Amino acid sequence: MKLNSLTFFACLMILLSAASCSKKERIELETITVGFGEVCESVTSTGTLESVTQVDVGTQVTGIISKLYADYNSVVKAGDLIAEIDKTTLESELKAADANLESAKLTYEYTKKNYERDLALHDKQLISDYEFDTTRKDYLIAKSSYEKSKSDRVKAARNLSYAEIYAPIDGIVISREVEVGQTVVSNMSVANLFTIADLNNMQVVADVDEADIGSVKVGQNATFTVDAYPNDVFSGKVTQVRINPTTTSNVVTYEVLIDAANPDMKLIPGLTANITINTKEARNVLTIPLKALKFMPQEFEGADNLPSFDEMPTPPHGAPAHAESDKPKDPAIPTDDPHRLVWVLSDGKLKPTEIELGIDNGIDVVVVNGLREGDVVAQNYTSAMPQEAQQQGGGESNPFMPKPPQRKSNKK
């Protein structure tokens, strides 16, 4: 009877041990298959839309607006008549200038004949020097007066032409500052009547933070959205990076100009744009996750399902080894040397492979050399509970994560 009890106890322990082992976590290797993708790094900013060409149309003469041929949103062509100033006063000034010119011309011609006659007489010593000098003086004064009268006539004619105001560019009238009957006064500055903008050529003036301006270059692609059309994404290119800083509340920004095509005329001056500038771009290239660069194969007790691996070779090109103490704090490339090691799964075995890296965006990195499409690269270890344990509430976990503390039972 005693022997049977011992046998039963031994069988019970074996069953409990088997049940415990069946719930033991299973370590698995997480891999990634190398494929083609894109890597982009961007800078975000806000800015304001402006037209590349915008002209304030004014007048250089004083007068009363008699006619307006354009209003807000009027589409105009270069040379179109858009306004007129009353010409009565200007036409009178032109007629007075014509009369003065004719009078000055007659005086000039008369004094010129006298001068030529007295010059001949003076050469023959038939008149005194005083008489000749007086005649020459009258001639020179008349000549100057005649030249001045011609200039006054040109000015009066030009002022009359300024009474008709024409559009200087093709565009749309975005501002009208006058009404019919209003007097415009030209003093030291030109009186502004209209503002015409060419909406076919728009640009975004973006305010880029000083921390990001170093990566923004002319020619980089950019996209932006505006609140007026939240579902539309507009594209452009960086055309200028201005080095003149602007400081607002101790925040330093720099202006970056981005051209913006506007075929549908949706973009108008003054809209606020939310901008994304692609500072790094690589498309249709081989990529792997950056965390694959930190992977180091390890051995786990009882993990017969894991592939074997070779010994760690000498770090390539002086790159730091992947030892735990040498791991970089940032998952990105820790040195300027683009050559690194990854572990490729081939024929059931992990093999260290030297690769050359390109640009990265903090998540993925471009592989320039060393890997081919379809290669399987190790990137992490994970632990998974058996299917029976998962049905009881178990699941996958990281073998390197700390276990949660055990709760104390209230049962006595």
Side-chain angles (χ1 to χ4, degrees), residues 100-159:
N100 291 334
L101 176 61
E102 185 65 22
S103 175
K105 180 180 179 182
L106 294 174
T107 302
Y108 166 70
E109 291 175 349
Y110 173 74
T111 55
K112 182 180 180 181
K113 289 180 180 179
N114 288 339
Y115 169 73
E116 291 174 349
R117 183 189 66 231
D118 288 354
L119 177 61
L121 294 174
H122 183 265
D123 290 341
K124 296 178 181 179
Q125 297 182 349
L126 297 176
I127 60 174
S128 65
D129 292 340
Y130 174 78
E131 290 177 316
F132 174 72
D133 290 340
T134 301
T135 304
R136 185 176 63 176
K137 181 196 70 173
D138 293 340
Y139 164 69
L140 294 175
I141 292 175
K143 182 179 180 181
S144 298
S145 179
Y146 178 51
E147 295 295 334
K148 181 179 183 301
S149 296
K150 289 195 291 185
S151 299
D152 290 342
R153 202 274 175 192
V154 171
K155 180 180 178 181
R158 178 58 62 88
N159 285 341

Side-chain angles (χ1 to χ4, degrees), residues 21 27 67 78 131 176 214 243 267 315 326 367 385:
C21 291
I27 305 299
K67 294 179 182 179
E131 290 177 316
R176 176 174 61 82
I243 60 176
L267 302 176
D326 294 331
V367 179
M385 297 292 292

Side-chain angles (χ1 to χ4, degrees), residues 4 88 135 156 340:
N4 292 337
T88 303
T135 304
R340 298 298 305 278

Side-chain angles (χ1 to χ4, degrees), residues 25 381 383 396-406:
E25 292 181 349
Y381 284 113
S383 60
E396 293 187 358
S397 63
N398 192 316
F400 306 107
M401 292 292 290
K403 303 300 184 201
Q406 298 292 333

Side-chain angles (χ1 to χ4, degrees), residues 221-346:
N221 294 321
T223 58
F224 64 92
T225 60
V226 294
D227 292 340
Y229 305 99
N231 297 325
D232 294 341
V233 178
F234 303 91
S235 60
K237 285 184 178 294
V238 176
T239 58
Q240 188 180 58
V241 179
R242 295 177 175 174
I243 60 176
N244 182 36
T246 301
T247 304
T248 305
S249 300
N250 294 327
V251 177
V252 180
T253 58
Y254 293 84
E255 287 187 348
V256 174
L257 301 188
I258 302 168
D259 70 345
N262 193 22
D264 299 328
M265 295 296 174
K266 291 183 177 181
L267 302 176
I268 56 178
L271 291 179
T272 299
N274 300 308
I275 308 147
T276 300
I277 302 173
N278 296 325
T279 56
K280 294 180 181 180
E281 251 184 316
R283 303 184 185 277
N284 197 29
V285 291
L286 292 177
T287 65
I288 59 172
L290 274 171
K291 64 180 181 179
L293 304 179
K294 298 175 63 178
F295 176 81
M296 181 65 186
Q298 300 182 29
E299 294 182 353
F300 295 91
E301 183 179 356
D304 299 333
N305 59 304
L306 297 179
S308 60
F309 55 89
D310 294 333
E311 293 296 329
M312 180 67 183
T314 303
H317 298 280
H322 289 261
E324 189 69 26
S325 60
D326 294 331
K327 285 185 178 180
K329 295 180 180 180
D330 194 315
I333 304 172
T335 66
D336 293 334
D337 192 341
H339 296 85
R340 298 298 305 278
L341 286 180
V342 293
W343 293 82
V344 177
L345 181 61
S346 177

